[in-house]
Amino acid sequence: MSPPRSTPLLAIGDLSVALPAMQGCVRAVDGVTLSVTAGQAVGLVGESGCGKSMLAKALMGLLPREAEIGPTSQIHFDGRPLLALSPRERRTITGRKMAMVFQDPMTALNPVMRVGRQISEVLRHHLGLDRRAARQRALALLRQVGVSMPRRRLDHYPHQLSGGLRQRVAIAIALACGPRLLIADEPTTALDVTVQAGILDLLARCQKAQAMAMLLISHDLGVVAGRTQRTAVMYAGRILELAPTRKLFGKPRLPYTRALLDAMPRLANPPRTPLKAIGGQPPDMTHLPPGCAFAPRCRWARGRCRVETPPLESGRGGDHDHRVACWYPLEGA
Amino acid sequence: MQTIRAARIRRSCPAIAGRHLVALLIGMLLIGCGPTPPTETTTPTGGTLYFGLEAPFHGFDVLGTSGYLNPPMAPLNNLILEPLFRMDRAGNLIPVLGLTATASAGGDEWEIALRQGVRFHDQTPFNADAVVHHWHRILDPANRYRGRPIFDPIQRVEKITDHQVRFTLAHPWPAFLRTISDELLLGNFIPSPTAVEAGTHDRKPVGTGPFKYHRWNNSDHFVVLKNPHYWQPGKPLLNKVVFRALPDHQTRYASLLAGQLDLITLDRGNLIEQAAGKPALTIHPNPGNGAEIILINTAEPPLDDVRVRKALALANHQQRHIRMVYGGAIPFVHHPFGEGFDCQPDGYLAYDPERARALIAAYGKPVEIECLHSNTSRGRRIGALLQQLYQEIGVTLTPVALSTAPQVMRVMQRQYQLATWRIPPALDHGPMLYRSYHSQSPTNFTGYHNPELDRLLAQQRVETDPAARDRLLCDIVRFLNREVPFLYRGGRRSHIVARRKIRNMMESPGFTVDLASAWLDEVTKFNQSAYEIETAAAVPEFNCPDTGDREATRARLVGAWKGEDSWGGKLEVRFNLDDTMAGSRSGGYDLTATYTICGATIRFQTKLGTLVTLTMSGQTMAGTFERNGYGGTLTLRQVSNTTEAAAADS
Amino acid sequence: MTATWGEHLLVTHLGRKLLRLLLVVLAVTAVTFLMVHLLPGDVAYTIGGETATADDIRAIREALGLDRSMLAQYRSWLGRLVHGDLGRSYLTGEPVLQAILSRLPVTLELLVISQLLALALALPAALICAYRSGSHVDRLISTGGFATLSIPSFVMALLTIYLFSVKLRWLPATGYTPLQAGVWANLKSFVLPALSIALIEWVVLMRVLRSDLITTLQQHYILMAKAKGLPPWRILLLHALRPSAFTMLTVMGLQVGRLLGEAVIVETLFALPGMGRLLVTAIYARDHLMVQGCVLVISIGYVTVNSAVDMLYTLLDPRIRREAAVGT
């Protein structure tokens, strides 16, 4: 393990989240350790259902009431132990220092509340602004996130806005109090392809401009490429590979990451190059196999993979930046 | 069982017997010398009485009614309107608007002398014209008055002099005086001809009574005010009586307990028994007459057979009706003439299921009958009880619940077998018996006809000797008990439950109550001088010693009144109004009040209804607390400028 | 969309509503007329009483015009209705319109206060139950609610009278104090009657609101509101309540009819001079002009309340506003 270069803004240690399911219990997040330094953008990639949204909810304190957090789990934000705080104390952080953009802007905005009020509500609650000041700030925020005719939009209801505009509004709400960490959970998945890039670029721009840390969650490696410094690959509740984004893309060591990259369409490929789909089914979280969860779908899996769970470790070459949880990591691209 | 229950009610209220005596004594005095001033010179006046009735009010125009007053309406009617005579239970005539009644030698003419100097509430003089005007309306065939058959023998009414009228009869009619002094017949009450002609009497009645119409609100309440020009000096004593219609007996009783009402009519045995256990309440059972019956259509089989009807009578358990349907609140009867009328042996068929079964067996065919009853819970109970009683003798009875209109319709069209019915109370039952069971009468709904009964019914109409007539009535009863055109469910007795503070409430002979001389005990210590003070309309004003400002009319009373009143109720009054106060009742004892004026504060203690005197800078104010329904008011008036004791009678 | 276009839409919208109201009223009064006439017995028997003869009954019926055909009677009733004349009560001679107008405020006040009380009970209870659904509090309130639901209103009325009037002496047991006698005194006379309706009514509202709230609380925008760091009460009141209120409002509108039934019982028990008592007395007495008048007013009220609920929808949910505009 390498010594920390600086105190991370967000330090997740051995975070586990268990959810009661029809049969027994699902470990949606299983011993995740991850840190995000201030101003850094980190990508979190995995197939749907791998637990990345649950991780985001755990960070925001939005877990359903029946969810259980493991006894040894820890989340430190800005030096404060989030899990030890009372709900009231936690609410002073949530929405103010740590904000979140949700996947589906169609349902994330309250349909019966004007856009302006949904933005200014945060400002009034956290910053104690009065109605006028909050509205002025909301107007500025809308401008900042690139909403045209912002003054008119303030008085619109969500259903009067397009999906892209709604997501911009959601981002404006998240940015309202100048958070130090922004969690973007699949911010473009529900949007038209034509507006996806615009939203992602907006997020990246804001992240840089405000020196804000960002946890960009996506099922799509292409989304995190070029917009994050580090990327974590999650599978069945665990982080299986964690590396500087460029390294991960250049030299993935986890067979799963390799498979994900192969499944991506590339402009460099000649037209009609077939995409390589990942064989097999995504794991059934209620019946995880022993050993490595990816083993049943892994081309390189051997006997040990099906018996022992590999830990997340630094690579053989002493590369502390590149850690992987695999008994037989890939060597070279 | 039943008699024991009644006795208990009486024993627990020994005051009732005494009050009977007083009422009788006063009644006798009235017969002797006409109006008498109240015997107690210190009898308190004023106050408002709240009277809860079960039925909503109906119009007062005699032509709009069937002739009989709804008994709960009678007390109200009796306060506003007056008849020529009343009659006590011993049969003595009490002069009211009439003074004397003299029969002609042939017995078919009566001359009635009228009281002079009486005016209706609208100042129309009461005289022979008023009486004749009223009776013309009743007797005029064009008016089709439905109560006309009751007065059938009366041919015409003429004026002799201004204060003398003559009633001409078709034949000598021994029941004449009894009938025209019946307080349950609206036709006997003389309205103001002016109001009747103006068409306003129906909704705004105008009479000569001790109270006059004030307000009639939406079948909710009816307010009458003291008639200051009442012809009987010293009456009435109350200022105001508010009648309220509360159809539900439970909440009516609860309102009495909560102090919102002072007296209520009540016909539920269980509640009457409860009330008997409360020291703050008195029960006034009014021994009425008439009966609750089941009418039988004797025209069609199987009920045309007297054996079947007798069997029904023998299997009918009257005491069980009384207990299960009326909670023991009505008497057990053998005839409709009321308590004190004895026809023994009257041939009443007492409960005997063995004999009933034998009669049904003798009839030899299965008996299946239907009984119409009201669709109220009481009606359903009657139906269920009969079904059960007749099942025991092998008779199948189907109860049919109907609302009033269809039940009356089916009885009148003779499309029924059994139907719950009643014999209304009356001072004289002769006319009603004639109408109900004479073969030629259009209102003989039983279809029973027998020349022997017809002869008896006709004979009682003209028999002038009272003893002989009573014997005839008994003969009729024996005949009816033998032939069974109806079954008895019980007699009639009304109950009024009152708070003990109401004094001198007389049980009127006509099965109602007389409030003309009633007074409220809460003003017991209200002496004559205080009364004068209250009526003196001086506006209270104080000259403040320091500033010389006149500010008393706006002075503020701040404090709370906790008191126990003389009838066992507890009272707490909080007041903070200028010269009135409102409050609510709850526990506590004495009144402690603080009166602040001109910057000074006076504390005083007193009891409900007592004189309150306040002295300040040589100026005295006095007044009394008067309960006004749920709250009350304290009216303070300036008395004098002399120095007096701070609080008198506290 | 221009303003005139919008106004035009509004006018046609209101016009349609009025037309519908007219049709409903015509249909309801015609059916009532028929039903009252089909009932056995008529008001003549009530007026005549037990001592009347067949001749008396005939005379009364002639005097009241009851001997004419049903159609002729209905036609003349409609004819007079156009001139604002509802006729007179056969029984008391009181003009029907006057009788209704004097009693209507009593029933309206009773219904409004009872609904406000029911809401005052149902809102917090539903919010607590939905927020903590499945918890002990939720189960306790729901079970308690069902228990009160099973108590008939007349038992509830007697219980409240016994407690608040006879024992505690806080409130009058029965009776009506008009508004002119003071607002407080007037309200005091309505507390117990309204409470005995509300104590039964709130449960229905609570159940409906609770289940809608639970659905709403699973919406993404509630998660979003939580992510904003808003306290629970703010989320419940500002974000969840409004979109959850539709079914409850519909139920409230539809319950107006059932409430009138409750009002009959409560008005009788508490001796309130209201419409319910007037109508029932009139039905029993076959006082059919009074019945007609009451039914007329009640059906207008029913349609109006439910139209008002429709309009409330559009106020509560801007999406419906657009659909309505597009739809017409």
Side-chain angles (χ1 to χ4, degrees), chain C residues 2 10 292 308:
Chain C
T2 63
L10 190 70
Q292 282 298 111

Side-chain angles (χ1 to χ4, degrees), chain B residues 66 144 146 218-220 244-246 248 250-251 254-255 257 260 403 405-406 409 412-413 422 435 443 445 585 630, chain C residues 40-41 45-48 50-53 57 59 102-103 158 161 169-175 269 271 273 284 286:
Chain B
S66 64
R144 312 194 69 148
R146 291 194 303 284
N218 304 346
S219 84
D220 179 44
R244 287 183 44 204
L246 296 99
D248 184 77
Q250 291 269 16
T251 53
S255 298
L257 292 183
Q260 273 187 285
S403 55
M409 181 183 81
M412 288 183 60
Q413 296 172 349
R422 64 179 189 134
R435 294 184 61 190
T443 52
F445 303 132
R585 283 149 180 277
Y630 196 59
Chain C
Y45 291 99
T46 317
I47 296 174
E50 298 152 3
T51 54
T53 63
I57 299 296
S102 67
R103 286 159 175 87
L158 290 175
I161 289 179
R169 306 216 171 188
W170 288 350
L171 295 161
T174 54
L269 284 170
Y284 278 141
R286 307 283 186 269

Side-chain angles (χ1 to χ4, degrees), chain B residues 412-435:
Chain B
M412 288 183 60
Q413 296 172 349
R414 274 81 162 170
Q415 288 170 353
Y416 77 103
Q417 289 179 299
L418 301 185
T420 55
W421 212 249
R422 64 179 189 134
I423 300 177
L427 276 181
D428 188 291
H429 279 277
M432 194 66 208
L433 284 174
Y434 187 90
R435 294 184 61 190

Side-chain angles (χ1 to χ4, degrees), chain B residues 56-59 64-66 68 144-146 149 202-203 217-221 244-248 250-252 254-255 257-261 375 402-406 408-410 412-413 421-422 424 432 435 442-443 445 499 569-570 583-586 630, chain C residues 40-43 45-60 62 91-94 98-99 102-103 106 157-158 161-162 164-166 168-176 178 188 267-273 277 281 283-286:
Chain B
F57 318 102
H58 287 293
T65 66
S66 64
Y68 283 96
R144 312 194 69 148
Y145 174 50
R146 291 194 303 284
D202 193 38
R203 312 257 330 148
N217 195 318
N218 304 346
S219 84
D220 179 44
H221 61 262
R244 287 183 44 204
L246 296 99
D248 184 77
Q250 291 269 16
T251 53
R252 193 161 68 243
S255 298
L257 292 183
Q260 273 187 285
L261 296 172
N375 55 0
L402 292 173
S403 55
T404 315
V408 173
M409 181 183 81
R410 284 189 56 181
M412 288 183 60
Q413 296 172 349
W421 212 249
R422 64 179 189 134
M432 194 66 208
R435 294 184 61 190
T443 52
F445 303 132
R499 301 178 70 80
K570 286 179 177 173
S584 58
R585 283 149 180 277
S586 69
Y630 196 59
Chain C
D42 63 39
V43 70
Y45 291 99
T46 317
I47 296 174
E50 298 152 3
T51 54
T53 63
D55 276 352
D56 292 340
I57 299 296
R58 207 173 306 123
I60 296 169
E62 266 170 41
L91 213 56
T92 61
E94 197 179 7
Q98 186 189 316
S102 67
R103 286 159 175 87
V106 179
L158 290 175
I161 289 179
Y162 183 75
F164 293 108
S165 298
V166 177
L168 296 171
R169 306 216 171 188
W170 288 350
L171 295 161
T174 54
Y176 164 67
K188 257 167 56 171
E267 282 169 10
T268 308
L269 284 170
F270 288 96
L272 295 176
R277 222 170 114 197
T281 318
I283 290 173
Y284 278 141
R286 307 283 186 269

Side-chain angles (χ1 to χ4, degrees), chain B residues 538-555:
Chain B
V539 177
E541 281 181 341
F542 270 87
N543 290 313
C544 292
D546 301 338
T547 60
D549 291 345
R550 294 157 77 81
E551 65 163 69
T553 48
R554 293 286 122 209

Side-chain angles (χ1 to χ4, degrees), chain B residues 130 143 177 206 235 251 265 277 307 346 361 389 399 402 441 460 472 486 516 570 599 626 647:
Chain B
N143 282 338
L177 285 180
V206 179
K235 282 188 185 178
T251 53
T265 56
R307 287 174 299 181
D346 50 26
L389 286 171
L402 292 173
S441 164
Q460 60 84 24
L472 276 169
F486 63 86
K570 286 179 177 173
E626 189 191 317

